Amino acid sequence: MRILHILNHTRRLNGHVHAAVDLACAQVRLGHQVYVASEGGDFDALLQANGIQTLLISHKRKAPSLIKALLALSSYIKKFNIDIVHAHMMTSAVIAFPICKLRRIPLITTVHNEFEKSATLMGLGTRVIAVSDVVGASMRRRGVAPSKLRVVLNGTIGSSRAEGRSEEPKALRSPSILFVGGLHPRKGVPDLFNAFETVHRSFSSAHLYIVGDGPFREEYKKVAATLQSASAITFVGSTRDPYPYMLGADIFVLPSHADPAPLVLSEAREAGCAIVGSSVDGIPQLLEHGEAGLLVPPNDPDALAETLSHLLESPDRIADWRRKSQLRIERLMIERVAKETLEVYHSAIPRAKAVALAT
């Protein structure tokens, strides 16, 4: 099958980019010809090393740029005889929709950021992939027909991005609590600060590590500096690969207010962390609904502090939840994601063409 993925860019900043890159590389390993059209970025070298041709398409939301993007996409589809176009963000879907209609090619869209109002436009797809059950339910409420909606749970274990990464754990001060993610309100970092302030009164040896960057970095640093526990909070900043921090951490925490299906939980489970996550969006599903990680209500620093304290009271509890993180972890393999996505593609292709592709 000849597959063209279209997304805004291939920079490391966004989880949806990681998911698209992982999927594209996994599809190549399954024997398909894959192309990625975007404005380019950090992952282009990785894509090319995996046999994926990268193509340039502007995503600027101005009429002249959009016209050029439409013409470029049409040219690529014709030149490479594309069977499936897979759009990963709203602008990509809007660009791809008229060309796919004109050329009678199925358009697949993946809803990565359901919390955005523009996510409704992902319903333009012939098939719409939701990255968790909760996202699927939300898209149905937005009017996407159940007949075109499919759920393919995010997973990243075994991805090409992980090849060659360091397996050496970072030396963290134990007991260590780790957060990895973007520094903006959706991730609930202030809740974590408030919870840690409470925890640190009883467990003065505990240390909190914040790995990541974002628009609220300086504000969060100022907030942390006002806390009694300030000396026990380390801002690591952005890092090319946070996995060694996960390997070195005792507890991984994701206190998000909204998170459709965060890839970071796949990585934290792969690293064998004891995990605490908020019971919102796709987080419970990625944690086997509380069997592979502890769940706490979102926007509730007191509940988060109580759960962290419960773990810190006993190293055996942390060890137990480390073991539980491995429960049914095979569901988070990128190969499973790639195979289920291909099933969605086949469901969207006219029967005669699907038979031809299969033979």
Side-chain angles (χ1 to χ4, degrees):
M1 189 180 294
R2 294 171 295 275
I3 304 160
L4 190 153
H5 292 275
I6 177 170
L7 58 159
N8 297 25
H9 58 78
T10 56
R11 298 190 293 275
R12 295 179 181 274
L13 300 173
N14 302 95
H16 80 272
V17 174
H18 294 198
V21 168
D22 289 351
L23 175 61
C25 293
Q27 289 172 336
V28 169
R29 293 203 296 265
L30 290 174
H32 301 279
Q33 183 64 52
V34 183
Y35 305 83
V36 171
S38 75
E39 292 186 348
D42 309 310
F43 284 122
D44 280 2
L46 174 65
L47 291 166
Q48 292 160 10
N50 279 271
I52 297 168
Q53 186 167 345
T54 54
L55 311 170
L56 183 63
I57 286 188
S58 172
H59 278 66
K60 293 181 176 64
R61 300 180 188 180
K62 295 182 179 179
S65 295
L66 288 172
I67 291 170
K68 288 181 181 178
L70 289 166
L71 293 173
L73 180 60
S74 181
S75 174
Y76 292 144
I77 289 173
K78 181 179 180 181
K79 179 179 179 179
F80 300 112
N81 195 23
I82 298 298
D83 299 307
I84 286 282
V85 174
H86 191 154
H88 292 269
M89 290 299 285
M90 180 272 292
T91 304
S92 303
V94 169
I95 291 170
F97 177 71
I99 301 303
C100 289
K101 276 288 187 183
L102 182 66
R103 293 194 169 274
R104 298 181 180 179
I105 292 174
L107 170 63
I108 310 301
T109 59
T110 292
V111 185
H112 295 282
N113 293 335
E114 175 274 332
F115 52 84
E116 295 179 348
K117 291 181 180 179
S118 60
T120 302
L121 288 169
M122 302 307 277
L124 292 170
T126 312
R127 293 289 184 273
V128 179
I129 295 176
V131 294
S132 66
D133 289 338
V134 170
V135 172
S138 174
M139 295 307 292
R140 285 193 295 273
R141 290 193 297 271
R142 290 173 183 235
V144 175
S147 60
K148 66 160 59 179
L149 190 62
R150 303 289 188 274
V151 174
V152 178
L153 182 67
N154 267 351
T156 191
I157 297 174
S159 73
S160 293
R161 285 187 301 111
E163 292 176 2
R165 71 185 177 191
S166 173
E167 297 289 336
E168 183 68 25
K170 284 285 184 181
L172 306 181
R173 289 168 54 184
S174 187
S176 53
I177 299 169
L178 174 68
F179 166 86
V180 177
L183 301 185
H184 45 75
R186 180 170 66 85
K187 293 292 185 176
V189 176
D191 294 342
L192 179 55
F193 289 153
N194 290 335
F196 185 71
E197 181 80 334
T198 300
V199 166
H200 197 257
R201 294 189 193 110
S202 300
F203 302 93
S204 59
S205 62
H207 202 92
L208 173 62
Y209 293 86
I210 305 294
V211 175
D213 202 352
F216 284 76
R217 178 185 58 187
E218 294 307 317
E219 180 177 329
Y220 289 167
K221 282 186 173 181
K222 291 177 182 176
V223 171
T226 67
L227 302 175
Q228 294 293 318
S229 57
S231 62
I233 300 175
T234 297
F235 283 82
V236 175
S238 179
T239 180
R240 186 178 182 87
D241 183 12
Y243 191 67
Y245 286 90
M246 297 176 185
L247 290 172
D250 294 306
I251 302 169
F252 181 88
V253 184
L254 189 63
S256 302
H257 297 169
D259 233 334
L263 292 177
V264 71
L265 287 180
S266 293
E267 297 172 15
R269 288 186 59 184
E270 183 181 8
C273 295
I275 301 173
V276 180
S278 53
S279 54
V280 68
D281 294 342
I283 292 176
Q285 191 173 2
L286 287 167
L287 293 179
E288 298 294 331
H289 300 283
E291 292 185 67
L294 290 153
L295 295 170
V296 297
N299 299 281
D300 194 339
D302 291 339
L304 180 56
E306 183 178 349
T307 299
L308 291 173
S309 296
H310 175 73
L311 288 172
L312 292 171
E313 282 172 358
S314 169
D316 288 343
R317 285 182 190 147
I318 294 176
D320 185 42
W321 281 102
R322 282 182 177 276
R323 288 190 294 269
K324 289 178 178 178
S325 72
Q326 303 306 294
L327 180 69
R328 293 188 286 276
I329 198 169
E330 67 280 358
R331 283 166 32 86
L332 302 181
M333 299 292 290
I334 186 61
E335 185 178 2
R336 187 269 308 164
V337 175
K339 288 180 177 178
E340 290 185 7
T341 301
L342 288 167
E343 291 173 5
V344 177
Y345 292 175
H346 282 291
S347 76
I349 294 173
R351 183 172 178 79
K353 188 171 183 178
V355 170
L357 286 170
T359 56

